Amino acid sequence: MIDGDGALEAIDRILNRGGDADDVLRGVLAALHDRGVPYAAIRFAESGALVDGPSVGDRREARTTPIVYDGERVGELELAVDDSRFAERVATLISAFVLVGWDTGGQPWST
């Protein structure tokens, strides 16, 4: 069972601590996984394409939610959850960090 409230509280603490965008996003995904989300992934919008970012858990069917910052789609969030409001909330919370963290300079992500 997914602890959505606990996950949102943990995400809030991670975002408030701040830090390097890569570390924040990995921390958010870990917090989701620790609270019952079996799979979560972030993809970054880069030159009109989506580029794989960090992920946790075994890839499976997941809800895809756009990540939008200041009206611009900066990526997408995949969460293996049934709750679209929860997924939208997480996408909104992490949007500024996705904007900052999207450019990997061609280097693959390691999680």
Side-chain angles (χ1 to χ4, degrees):
M1 182 166 184
I2 296 169
D3 177 9
D5 290 338
L8 291 174
E9 289 173 12
I11 291 168
D12 189 49
R13 286 190 302 273
I14 292 164
L15 298 178
N16 284 333
R17 269 194 313 262
D20 179 74
D22 297 346
D23 294 335
V24 169
L25 294 174
R26 285 187 184 100
V28 166
L29 293 181
L32 289 165
H33 196 256
D34 290 347
R35 284 156 184 84
V37 175
Y39 172 72
I42 297 171
R43 290 186 181 72
F44 301 100
E46 185 175 331
S47 301
L50 290 170
V51 177
D52 287 345
S55 65
V56 293
D58 294 325
R59 185 171 215 139
R60 61 181 66 203
E61 187 174 325
R63 173 178 306 281
T64 301
T65 305
I67 302 172
V68 178
Y69 182 84
D70 199 25
E72 182 179 344
R73 184 176 180 167
V74 295
E76 70 180 23
L77 175 67
E78 274 194 65
L79 290 181
V81 298
D82 292 327
D83 187 344
S84 62
R85 292 182 70 172
F86 176 75
E88 290 167 5
R89 181 72 180 133
V90 173
T92 298
L93 289 170
I94 66 172
S95 64
F97 289 92
V98 171
L99 174 71
V100 171
W102 70 269
D103 185 4
T104 64
Q107 299 300 313
W109 280 80
S110 60
T111 54

